[in-house]
Amino acid sequence: MGILLANGQLLDEFGKLIKKDVLVEANRIVRIAERIEPDGHEQIDLDGLFLSAGLIDMHVHLREPGFEEKETIATGADAAVRGGFTTVACMPNTRPVIDNVETVQYILQQAKAAKKARVLPYGAITVRQLGRELTDFAALKETGIAGVTDDGVGVQTSGMMKQAMLRAKEWGLPVIAHCEDESLLPGGAALHDGEVAARHGLPGIPSESESIHVGRDILLAEQTGVHYHVCHISAKESVRLVRDGKRAGVNVTAEVTPHHLLLCDEDIPDSLDARWKMNPPLRSRADRAALLAGLKDGTIDIIATDHAPHTEAEKANSIDRAPFGIVGLETAFPLLYTYLVLSGELTLAELIDKMTAKPARLFGLPYGRLAEGEVADLVAIDLEKERAIDPDSFASKGRNTPFAGWKCKGWPMLTMVDGEVVWRQS
């Protein structure tokens, strides 16, 4: 017998919410109708909750192997389903680096054992992410990677990036790029090179350290024909380059994080709390406006969290010594729904598309759609319930968020992966 999700609110083709029942059998959605008789199926009354395809996050850090004190695949996958994510793609900057078949297999095994969100590992572009030697793309693809990236560091030389793109094109893999030219980074820089860094007498991270790599890589992608995807885009110049690349017919896509959409460097408190330190940094108000405009006009394709947990001890250090990164899996949807949808910047349908169907289409994944015959990855969300973000309630080991105390609506209440309920708010 199946599971009948009754009395949910689904988006119709016009973006309006309509009441529907959804019947799941095995791992598929087999029927959607205004009324479905229980007929012996297990019934879950959603009582008007919004029902969506499960969210997809193509950029998270699960830290295992090597940094289990920050996060494990099990705790990260648990945090994912509590945030409504049914599929996440994890970055290779672990120890060992995900640059070999054995580490990919280990991650897939740990994710399967966790029985929470589906985890898709990325393989490193270069061995140990050192930028000197390409990994074995063919073997990594056969083992199950979602793409190749050296996220955490940028590929510094154009020649190595071109070789990577040619190899990735040959094996049908996307190249996901952390864009950062290290020759433009002053030592100890932790904040955007703007007024806030200057006021505190700190060296800043210039926008061009990102946008120069974006421009270089778009030209290389044009030459090689590979699918080139820009990680966590943050600078207005980068948005302009991606827009121009798309207009020129280059296969370039981009992602933006919730924190870059909602915050800018002016929001950083004078205490310089390291929970506001991330890479790329929070940039200027003008950059934030360009990111939102790019998301709305389709230049930026999808939203990804760049979930990056660290220990509380690490983040207790001063801003120049603490590691970069904040967590995001358990707060992304409520933040974006409250501060972009309810504020009128995006419609609910637009937000859902950028967090479900669009990432699935970009990366060729058979998920992200709520329709008969599709994989039953689903999330039920309470769009009315309001509560404050409480890091102490996170399933993630990471508590490092600048959004603590923010009041949000749109909290996930139930998550189903492959037809099984893997988490339900008690």
Side-chain angles (χ1 to χ4, degrees):
M1 303 303 288
I3 299 176
L4 176 59
L5 300 168
N7 301 312
Q9 297 273 352
L10 279 63
L11 284 166
D12 68 8
E13 70 245 54
F14 305 107
K16 295 187 179 300
L17 290 173
I18 53 172
K19 190 174 179 181
K20 294 276 189 178
D21 292 350
V22 175
L23 179 61
V24 173
E25 290 185 336
N27 72 332
R28 296 281 166 178
I29 299 166
V30 296
R31 192 177 173 210
I32 300 173
E34 291 186 5
R35 171 70 178 163
I36 300 174
E37 294 300 326
D39 288 337
H41 299 297
E42 176 187 352
Q43 184 169 344
I44 298 175
D45 188 352
L46 297 181
D47 193 24
L49 295 178
F50 168 52
L51 187 65
S52 165
L55 308 181
I56 297 173
D57 189 346
M58 295 307 295
H59 189 150
V60 304
H61 298 266
L62 299 184
R63 304 304 191 197
E64 186 180 4
F67 303 105
E68 287 82 357
E69 71 279 11
K70 299 173 188 271
E71 193 79 289
T72 65
I73 291 167
T75 59
D78 191 15
V81 296
R82 288 167 185 256
F85 292 94
T86 51
T87 299
V88 297
C90 63
M91 291 296 171
N93 55 341
T94 52
R95 293 295 180 274
V97 171
I98 308 174
D99 60 6
N100 60 84
V101 167
E102 291 76 17
T103 307
V104 174
Q105 290 172 333
Y106 173 80
I107 290 165
L108 294 173
Q109 290 164 0
Q110 294 299 103
K112 185 177 180 180
K115 297 181 178 177
K116 296 290 184 178
R118 184 181 298 104
V119 176
L120 308 175
Y122 285 119
I125 291 175
T126 62
V127 175
R128 297 172 62 195
Q129 294 188 285
L130 294 177
R132 299 170 185 162
E133 177 187 356
L134 292 180
T135 59
D136 187 341
F137 288 12
L140 293 172
K141 180 179 181 181
E142 187 175 339
T143 313
I145 62 168
V148 289
T149 178
D150 270 1
D151 184 55
V153 292
V155 176
Q156 295 304 305
T157 68
S158 303
M160 179 57 68
M161 188 52 123
K162 184 173 182 179
Q163 286 183 48
M165 287 186 176
L166 288 168
R167 186 78 60 83
K169 175 67 175 176
E170 179 182 0
W171 291 103
L173 289 165
V175 172
I176 296 91
H178 174 113
C179 295
E180 187 170 36
D181 186 323
E182 294 172 1
S183 69
L184 295 171
L185 296 178
L191 303 176
H192 169 60
D193 186 19
E195 292 183 10
V196 176
R199 187 168 73 241
H200 291 278
L202 297 172
I205 300 172
S207 296
E208 59 268 26
S209 64
E210 172 184 288
S211 53
I212 280 178
H213 268 198
V214 173
R216 176 200 74 177
D217 292 351
I218 287 173
L219 291 172
L220 293 174
E222 184 175 29
Q223 284 278 318
T224 61
V226 77
H227 173 197
Y228 168 65
H229 180 78
V230 182
C231 284
H232 42 47
I233 193 168
S234 71
K236 59 183 183 296
E237 295 85 359
S238 302
V239 177
R240 186 181 73 222
L241 288 163
V242 171
R243 184 177 290 121
D244 289 347
K246 285 178 182 277
R247 285 173 177 162
V250 180
N251 188 8
V252 54
T253 60
E255 69 189 32
V256 65
T257 71
H259 44 281
H260 287 107
L261 288 170
L262 300 179
L263 301 171
C264 61
D265 64 345
E266 295 175 30
D267 298 314
I268 299 172
D270 283 339
S271 64
L272 298 182
D273 187 324
R275 287 176 296 182
W276 295 73
K277 181 180 179 181
M278 63 282 290
N279 190 14
L282 298 174
R283 297 203 186 272
S284 70
R285 190 176 297 275
D287 289 301
R288 192 185 74 150
L291 295 173
L292 185 56
L295 185 69
K296 292 166 74 169
D297 72 16
T299 300
I300 300 173
D301 302 85
I302 62 173
I303 297 170
T305 67
D306 192 11
H307 175 81
H310 294 289
T311 67
E312 292 188 67
E314 288 174 310
K315 278 296 193 179
N317 283 311
S318 59
I319 201 160
D320 59 328
R321 295 179 58 200
F324 290 98
I326 66 169
V327 293
L329 282 169
E330 292 169 83
T331 58
F333 187 83
L335 281 167
L336 295 169
Y337 175 70
T338 304
Y339 295 99
L340 291 186
V341 175
L342 293 183
S343 67
E345 295 287 358
L346 293 177
T347 67
L348 178 58
E350 288 171 333
L351 177 61
I352 288 296
D353 182 57
K354 295 173 190 304
M355 299 181 78
T356 59
K358 195 71 181 287
R361 285 199 301 274
L362 291 191
F363 289 88
L365 305 177
Y367 316 117
R369 295 187 68 240
L370 201 172
E372 292 180 357
E374 298 292 336
V375 173
D377 283 2
L378 299 166
V379 56
I381 298 171
D382 189 336
L383 297 179
E384 299 300 324
K385 183 183 181 68
E386 182 178 70
R387 63 179 169 87
I389 290 173
D390 175 13
D392 289 336
S393 70
F394 290 168
S396 169
K397 290 187 177 184
R399 302 285 184 269
N400 44 309
T401 173
F403 295 109
W406 282 42
K407 289 186 177 179
C408 298
K409 293 184 176 180
W411 293 95
M413 303 299 286
L414 177 149
T415 303
M416 172 179 281
V417 177
D418 250 345
E420 294 188 13
V421 176
V422 294
W423 174 76
R424 190 173 184 180
Q425 179 69 58
S426 56

